[in-house]
Amino acid sequence: MADSSSALPALAIEATGLTKTYAASKRMPEKQALKGVDLAVPRGSVFGLLGPNGAGKSTFINILAGLVNKTSGNVKIWGIDADVKPRESRAALGIVPQEINMDPFFTPLETLDLMAGFYGVPKAERKGDEILEALGLGDKKNAYVRQLSGGMKRRLMVAKAMVHAPPILILDEPTAGVDVELRRQLWEYVRKLNAQGVTIVLTTHYLEEAQEMCDQIAIINKGEVIACEPTPKLLKRMNQKTLVVRPEQGIDAVPGALADLAPTLRKDGQLAITYKIGEQSIEQLLKRLREANVGIGDLATEEPDLEDVFVALTSD
């Protein structure tokens, strides 16, 4: 696990000029999946890697894992050049893929023991029981994998990735199909690992999770990094807020006098006006509402969230 030692790298993962072009086949034309990706993941961070389907996220992760050969560029994992020392660099990774892939006739404990053996972890140093307990699978350690629910299998995938105590954990859509309670337990464990110094790289389509969990977020679109910033700074890219007003008297249509502000009437009867910060003030908007004879029963402002930023950056 990471500590304050100066021998540890400042960057957990560093990609420079990374490209990947899939050759043309009879069915598919040539495709450039990554177009000169530069990405630096700080050690000890929770780093979000977001993007639409087909943006290049899985290709990037598969190159790190050694499952896909890059076309050009350089990758360092835990300060180790993946071309020079591929086995050593990839041993620093624990990867939880999207697909659940386990032998249904093994127990969770046997599964972890087998995986630890693949990584050369001595029997005396294996912590299968401890890992399963931390992930809420202690009482299922001797059940067959085929008897586990989908959510439990996904947590077991996380356990498999941690058997060799890697300093970097990559979670590729870890909560897909997981219910709310299991998701909470999973994030609790991930936060605990991060507090111990493990660098977390997360891909997810649940943008509220990324917003809550990640210190820094990179957004990939069409094989290129289009944003890579600390989460608060990324959220500030949307130079706008929304004023939400509950009229004193219910209204069933947007007043024509406010049409130029493009307000929306929500299902709960509230009027929402999105405005650019610096171009309009709340006082100006309230004046317009009064002029349109809209009495104000209550009001609030809403900040943009990660979904707003994501849509704005990835939309054509």
Side-chain angles (χ1 to χ4, degrees), residues 113-182:
D113 202 45
L114 183 67
M115 188 60 60
F118 287 152
Y119 280 104
V121 180
K123 286 201 172 186
E125 296 176 20
R126 296 179 189 179
K127 297 181 179 180
D129 283 289
E130 183 183 318
I131 295 170
L132 290 173
E133 201 64 49
L135 282 163
L137 293 171
D139 60 338
K140 301 289 184 182
K141 67 180 182 180
N142 294 316
Y144 288 116
V145 167
R146 67 176 183 270
Q147 296 172 314
L148 302 182
S149 68
M152 289 176 179
K153 287 176 182 174
R154 197 160 288 282
R155 281 186 285 164
L156 183 54
M157 293 291 290
V158 176
K160 279 178 64 180
M162 292 306 302
V163 293
H164 59 301
I168 306 167
L169 180 63
I170 297 178
L171 300 165
D172 193 3
E173 299 288 347
T175 54
V178 175
D179 68 40
V180 174
E181 179 58 23
L182 296 186

Side-chain angles (χ1 to χ4, degrees), residues 40-98:
V41 178
R43 171 173 53 84
S45 65
V46 180
F47 190 94
L49 186 62
L50 310 181
N53 290 331
K57 305 186 300 296
S58 293
T59 296
F60 179 76
I61 290 171
N62 287 337
I63 289 172
L64 296 180
L67 300 174
V68 168
N69 293 323
K70 62 185 170 62
T71 301
S72 65
N74 183 260
V75 173
K76 287 184 179 179
I77 303 170
W78 209 243
I80 305 162
D81 191 313
D83 289 332
V84 178
K85 296 180 177 178
R87 287 172 64 93
E88 190 177 335
S89 68
R90 282 156 193 149
L93 295 175
I95 297 180
V96 183
Q98 289 184 42

Side-chain angles (χ1 to χ4, degrees), residues 30-45:
E30 179 181 279
K31 182 185 176 184
Q32 193 172 8
L34 296 179
K35 306 170 183 176
V37 167
D38 294 329
L39 213 53
V41 178
R43 171 173 53 84
S45 65

Side-chain angles (χ1 to χ4, degrees), residues 10-283:
L11 296 176
I13 297 169
E14 184 178 12
T16 311
L18 195 62
T19 71
K20 174 60 184 178
T21 302
Y22 290 101
S25 66
K26 290 180 180 179
R27 296 184 179 181
M28 299 289 289
E30 179 181 279
K31 182 185 176 184
Q32 193 172 8
L34 296 179
K35 306 170 183 176
V37 167
D38 294 329
L39 213 53
V41 178
R43 171 173 53 84
S45 65
V46 180
F47 190 94
L49 186 62
L50 310 181
N53 290 331
K57 305 186 300 296
S58 293
T59 296
F60 179 76
I61 290 171
N62 287 337
I63 289 172
L64 296 180
L67 300 174
V68 168
N69 293 323
K70 62 185 170 62
T71 301
S72 65
N74 183 260
V75 173
K76 287 184 179 179
I77 303 170
W78 209 243
I80 305 162
D81 191 313
D83 289 332
V84 178
K85 296 180 177 178
R87 287 172 64 93
E88 190 177 335
S89 68
R90 282 156 193 149
L93 295 175
I95 297 180
V96 183
Q98 289 184 42
E99 301 80 16
I100 293 175
N101 182 19
M102 285 172 287
D103 191 317
F105 297 101
F106 277 51
T107 68
L109 193 57
E110 288 169 343
T111 299
L112 297 199
D113 202 45
L114 183 67
M115 188 60 60
F118 287 152
Y119 280 104
V121 180
K123 286 201 172 186
E125 296 176 20
R126 296 179 189 179
K127 297 181 179 180
D129 283 289
E130 183 183 318
I131 295 170
L132 290 173
E133 201 64 49
L135 282 163
L137 293 171
D139 60 338
K140 301 289 184 182
K141 67 180 182 180
N142 294 316
Y144 288 116
V145 167
R146 67 176 183 270
Q147 296 172 314
L148 302 182
S149 68
M152 289 176 179
K153 287 176 182 174
R154 197 160 288 282
R155 281 186 285 164
L156 183 54
M157 293 291 290
V158 176
K160 279 178 64 180
M162 292 306 302
V163 293
H164 59 301
I168 306 167
L169 180 63
I170 297 178
L171 300 165
D172 193 3
E173 299 288 347
T175 54
V178 175
D179 68 40
V180 174
E181 179 58 23
L182 296 186
R183 190 178 297 176
R184 185 191 63 77
Q185 289 176 4
L186 181 59
W187 289 134
E188 214 171 81
Y189 181 61
V190 168
R191 284 193 177 97
K192 182 180 175 185
L193 289 174
N194 184 242
Q196 293 169 357
V198 178
T199 302
I200 309 293
V201 178
L202 167 68
T203 80
T204 180
H205 282 102
Y206 296 107
L207 298 183
E208 69 279 5
E209 285 185 348
Q211 184 171 333
E212 183 184 342
M213 292 288 297
C214 299
D215 312 313
Q216 189 168 336
I217 291 173
I219 297 177
I220 293 183
N221 192 34
K222 298 178 181 176
E224 298 178 286
V225 177
I226 57 173
C228 183
E229 294 170 351
T231 305
K233 186 178 178 183
L234 188 63
L235 292 173
K236 286 180 181 175
R237 279 195 177 219
M238 295 295 287
N239 185 35
Q240 64 183 39
K241 286 187 178 182
T242 300
L243 175 66
V244 182
V245 174
R246 179 175 60 77
E248 271 185 326
Q249 304 294 328
I251 58 175
D252 51 19
V254 172
L258 300 175
D260 61 305
L261 297 176
T264 57
L265 187 60
R266 296 182 173 177
K267 289 180 180 179
D268 57 6
Q270 296 191 105
L271 202 59
I273 303 172
T274 299
Y275 64 98
K276 295 272 187 179
I277 299 168
E279 291 183 11
Q280 287 174 307
S281 68
I282 288 181
E283 181 53 43

